Amino acid sequence: MEYRKFPQGYALRLDPGEEVVDSLTKLADRENIRLGTVSALGAANDVTIGIFDTAEKKYYSKRYQGQYEISALVGNVTRQEGKPYLHLHITIGNPVTGEVHAGHLSACTISATLELFLQVWDGRTSRKFSDAVGLNLLEFED
């Protein structure tokens, strides 16, 4: 992972074999990022994405291995109990096979490169588990 800090946030590049969620979590921890938005694109060969079943309050995940373009990776960085908390969604596709998959990102290994921009916001929010929904929801602080 290589990155640079700019006034509005960070530009980050991941190389083949690097994992997105782990790398972004390490960056957020190292730079003490409390609130930010993520936008990225690139290519991956091993991606695990899921969907949250609201009735069962449970995530279902599926792993995809092959050659995929990351057409969109979006999300946010907040904190929960002082630690970085990522909420990321991804859309991957392969125009040769006609595959397109999207969902909540759990893991993603880069095959060529990832170009990620992390915009940092002033202020902070945290996360709190909601029994009613079954997810860690945004909690706004004064």
Side-chain angles (χ1 to χ4, degrees), residues 17-127:
E18 293 186 294
E19 202 285 317
V20 175
V21 177
D22 182 59
S23 296
L24 187 53
T25 300
K26 286 179 181 174
L27 173 67
D29 194 38
R30 184 180 304 134
E31 297 291 331
N32 196 31
I33 297 165
R34 312 231 17 113
L35 183 61
T37 53
V38 174
S39 175
L41 49 82
N45 57 11
D46 191 352
V47 184
T48 302
I49 59 178
I51 187 166
F52 185 74
D53 184 311
T54 56
E56 294 183 39
K57 296 181 183 173
K58 179 180 173 183
Y59 268 103
Y60 287 92
S61 295
K62 186 168 182 181
R63 185 176 181 188
Y64 298 95
Q65 294 179 295
Q67 296 303 313
Y68 296 103
E69 289 290 329
I70 300 169
S71 63
L73 191 163
V74 298
N76 58 59
V77 177
T78 56
R79 293 275 168 153
Q80 184 171 18
E81 298 176 0
K83 297 179 182 175
Y85 185 97
L86 307 182
H87 186 190
L88 304 172
H89 285 202
I90 192 168
T91 302
I92 59 172
N94 181 320
V96 174
T97 64
E99 292 176 78
V100 176
H101 308 285
H104 177 84
L105 180 62
S106 298
C108 179
T109 302
I110 298 307
S111 61
T113 191
L114 181 81
E115 298 171 352
L116 185 144
F117 294 86
L118 172 58
Q119 180 183 10
V120 177
W121 294 41
D122 287 333
R124 64 179 65 196
T125 63
S126 60
R127 296 279 176 168

